[in-house]
Amino acid sequence: MKQELIEKARAVIARNDRGHYTVPTHGLYPFQWNWDSALSALGIAHFDETRAWTEIETLFLHQWEDGKVPHIIFHEPDDGYFPGPEVWATARNVPTSGITQPPVTGFAVRRIFDRARDKAMAEKRARALLPRIHGWHKWFYRNRDPQGTGLVAIIHPWESGRDNSVDWDDALARVPTEAVGDFQRRDTSHANPAHRPTDEQYKRYIWLVQHFRSLGWDNSKLHDASPFRMVDPDFNAILIRSCSDLADLAERLGESEIAVESREFAERGIKAIDSLWHEGLGQYVCYDRVAAKLIDSPSIGGILATFCAVPKPRAEALAARIAKLGESARFMVPSHDPTAPEYDGLRYWRGPVWLIVNYMISDGLKVAGQDAMARRIDADSIRLIEKGGFAEYYDPVTAEPCGGSNFTWTAAMVIEILNSEKTPA
Ligand code: GLC
């Protein structure tokens, strides 16, 4: 059974493999996405290490001169996706989007390095990636934390990777929609519109893109100029974990300057993230930098914070919080609390379970010694696949597969989880 699932997962990845990068899935997402690639490389490394390194290297070939790694690389023209390169207008040789995505590469590279069978190749390729990843981390703290708080903000919901989360509703309502011309969405012709963000949200997403474009994608200006500035616990936890993993890796490779700076970023972040703790909900929540307040929204963002080394009592509380969610969800971990009024079990990030999120939560719980809950999450991830195939996301009550099918990172996570006995926590 296990081997059969792994073979199926490999077939999904092979189908989405474009040689030096993978697409998330054929049709709906025909380009390279940032955190999809980093997480997919983890699964690929189990059967082809060379190809796994290439996946990440391709992403970093398109890093901007200022350090940013964009969220989409438009390698080949394809009009099946909106907004395409002409909307972003970032004036790159190979077009890219202008925003970024959760920086999980530091974590992924360290894990692939740790497990490498070909040590010499791993050392060579990790060493070359090290300064690039560190450059991206520095970019974040320079451009997205101008006040030096230790936490960075996202300036577009798409940067979070949790596009239409309830967390963004209030802040997004402040984003205007006038002067957004007519456009035609493509996602709703590939996937059920009831599983996708609404048109109203899309207009605001596009307004933000147009606004940043009018500022020439100058990252030194965008943070302060954006009406949407959110400090997301999950995004920060991923950045902190990547900084700390990069510090470990840099130490081993004798790159002491990168090690020291990365360690400082991580330590400052861990201290600062505690300001996002919500005692009433028993989890972390987002902070709205424009409105200067915490957002009372029980989403997965505040649970995924367990991916970085939060203090032990916090990790325990998060495990208890997940157990509580399990009273209303049959499959862990719903992206929004099923008892909250905004919950929607089919609509993207407003309820469904995502395997990549499950994987990162489970990993964080294992590091914190919360093995029982971690094992339960892993088991649910596999049960979902067995029932519904390699979907983009799943209804946490019915297990209905939603969004696109044959998803690269879902398949990669299955390979990871099924090999997890070999994975050091
Ligand atoms: C959606 C998801 C995002 C992902 C992308 C490609 O936009 O919200 O997290 O990276 O699809 O799979």
Side-chain angles (χ1 to χ4, degrees):
M1 188 63 200
K2 175 175 161 180
Q3 203 44 42
E4 208 181 297
L5 263 190
I6 291 180
E7 290 310 321
K8 281 190 188 156
R10 285 188 59 171
V12 167
I13 295 174
R15 194 174 163 210
N16 295 328
D17 190 351
R18 299 290 177 268
H20 56 299
Y21 67 97
T22 54
V23 297
T25 188
H26 180 79
L28 183 61
Y29 300 113
F31 312 109
Q32 182 177 25
W33 261 258
N34 185 323
W35 72 324
D36 294 61
S37 268
L39 291 162
S40 298
L42 287 164
I44 297 170
H46 287 284
F47 57 89
D48 189 343
E49 283 182 350
T50 303
R51 181 64 188 77
W53 287 110
T54 302
E55 184 77 18
I56 294 176
E57 287 160 1
T58 303
L59 182 64
F60 277 82
L61 273 179
H62 301 276
Q63 181 169 30
W64 286 23
E65 290 64 32
D66 67 357
K68 179 180 67 195
V69 183
H71 102 292
I72 304 175
I73 323 290
F74 298 104
H75 290 283
E76 301 279 343
D78 190 316
D79 57 15
Y81 177 84
F82 176 85
E86 63 295 340
V87 179
W88 295 95
T90 52
R92 314 277 311 165
N93 283 344
V94 174
T96 73
S97 72
I99 56 171
T100 190
Q101 254 193 336
V104 72
T105 314
F107 158 79
V109 162
R110 187 242 168 118
R111 180 148 290 182
I112 295 169
F113 179 88
D114 281 351
R115 293 193 305 218
R117 297 175 294 279
D118 187 337
K119 299 279 179 217
M121 175 175 72
E123 181 165 337
K124 185 162 161 260
R125 297 177 84 162
R127 193 182 288 287
L129 281 165
L130 210 61
R132 289 181 166 263
I133 301 172
H134 185 50
W136 189 23
H137 294 170
K138 286 196 288 193
W139 175 87
F140 271 115
Y141 290 108
R142 193 167 60 241
N143 292 289
R144 300 304 183 78
D145 182 20
Q147 307 283 334
T149 65
L151 298 175
V152 301
I154 54 166
I155 57 170
H156 193 295
W158 290 342
E159 290 199 314
S160 70
R162 302 186 292 115
D163 305 13
N164 68 336
S165 167
V166 176
D167 295 354
W168 324 132
D169 286 359
D170 289 353
L172 206 56
R174 280 197 304 266
V175 174
T177 52
E178 59 268 15
V180 176
D182 288 341
F183 58 82
Q184 198 193 347
R185 289 174 64 175
R186 297 301 169 97
D187 57 320
T188 41
S189 55
H190 297 290
N192 184 344
H195 297 179
R196 306 284 309 172
T198 62
D199 284 346
E200 197 49 36
Q201 284 161 341
Y202 247 80
K203 276 191 204 146
R204 297 174 200 274
Y205 299 150
I206 299 305
W207 188 92
L208 285 169
V209 171
Q210 292 177 351
H211 181 54
F212 302 148
R213 189 179 69 195
S214 74
L215 295 167
W217 294 109
D218 177 348
N219 279 295
S220 65
K221 297 190 185 133
L222 301 189
H223 174 277
D224 289 357
S226 177
F228 182 94
R229 297 201 290 279
M230 298 292 284
V231 180
D232 175 8
D234 126 23
F235 196 98
N236 277 280
I238 290 173
L239 177 56
I240 293 166
R241 174 72 182 267
S242 280
C243 286
S244 134
D245 281 348
L246 206 71
D248 291 348
L249 190 58
E251 262 161 32
R252 258 180 276 158
L253 295 175
E255 297 286 346
S256 53
E257 199 178 310
I258 294 181
V260 169
E261 282 180 14
S262 300
R263 190 77 66 206
E264 270 171 24
F265 287 150
E267 283 171 1
R268 253 176 1 119
I270 288 283
K271 280 197 197 108
I273 206 168
D274 213 52
S275 64
L276 306 180
W277 185 256
H278 189 299
E279 203 54 58
L281 292 172
Q283 64 165 86
Y284 296 90
V285 291
C286 291
Y287 177 77
D288 184 331
R289 242 181 214 169
V290 175
K293 63 171 194 199
L294 288 176
I295 299 298
D296 205 351
S297 170
S299 83
I300 198 79
I303 293 173
L304 187 45
T306 185
F307 193 50
C308 70
V310 295
K312 228 174 156 41
R314 296 287 191 233
E316 276 163 22
L318 288 173
R321 174 82 184 117
I322 301 170
K324 181 92 187 125
L325 294 173
E327 291 170 12
S328 41
R330 283 180 50 230
F331 298 89
M332 301 298 219
V333 182
S335 49
H336 203 74
D337 184 339
T339 64
E342 305 86 359
Y343 167 83
D344 181 341
L346 297 175
R347 210 182 275 279
Y348 220 30
W349 290 96
R350 301 176 79 89
V353 178
W354 292 70
L355 252 69
I356 38 124
V357 170
N358 273 9
Y359 170 74
M360 288 185 274
I361 293 177
S362 162
D363 183 86
L365 290 174
K366 282 175 198 153
V367 174
Q370 297 291 332
D371 288 301
M373 183 54 80
R375 276 201 306 275
R376 181 170 168 194
I377 295 171
D378 289 347
D380 279 2
S381 293
I382 300 302
R383 281 202 300 146
L384 283 168
I385 302 302
E386 285 169 350
K387 279 173 170 290
F390 299 87
E392 191 175 7
Y393 43 93
Y394 304 83
D395 183 305
V397 177
T398 64
E400 179 181 339
C402 303
S405 52
N406 294 309
F407 246 77
T408 304
W409 65 2
T410 307
M413 292 299 98
V414 170
I415 299 174
E416 264 293 283
I417 296 165
L418 292 176
N419 282 290
S420 62
E421 57 271 21
K422 290 183 226 145
T423 304

